[in-house]
Amino acid sequence: TIFIPLSFIAGVYGMNFKHMPELEWRYGYGWALAFMGAFALVLLVYFHRKGWLRGAERVKTPSITRTTSFFEDAKKL
């Protein structure tokens, strides 16, 4: 979702139009990159505030790093 608008903007600039005023600007390329970065940041902040980027309650699952404590607990039995 975040990369769709960025891909659109990059696609427009990749079409080699002759009459795009910002292509003649001295800092047109930098402004386009800055706009894309700002747009991505705005989307990330919006999604974070809506709670879409937060993880749900995570269920603790056994992992390889916890096997030592598992064996220590088994020895106590």
Side-chain angles (χ1 to χ4, degrees):
T1 302
I2 294 170
F3 288 107
I4 290 172
L6 304 181
S7 298
F8 173 75
I9 296 168
V12 168
Y13 279 95
M15 289 186 188
N16 298 324
F17 290 126
K18 288 184 179 181
H19 303 289
M20 289 180 70
E22 58 272 7
L23 294 178
E24 301 297 324
W25 295 347
R26 182 175 181 177
Y27 300 110
Y29 184 71
W31 279 105
L33 288 177
F35 176 72
M36 290 168 65
F39 198 80
L41 185 65
V42 167
L43 285 175
L44 282 171
V45 169
Y46 175 74
F47 293 155
H48 182 70
R49 287 188 178 178
K50 294 287 278 184
W52 295 344
L53 297 180
R54 295 183 196 133
E57 289 290 326
R58 296 182 185 252
V59 178
K60 292 184 179 181
T61 56
S63 64
I64 293 174
T65 57
R66 294 189 65 202
T67 55
T68 55
S69 63
F70 173 76
F71 289 125
E72 291 173 4
D73 292 341
K75 289 179 185 177
K76 292 178 184 176
L77 296 175

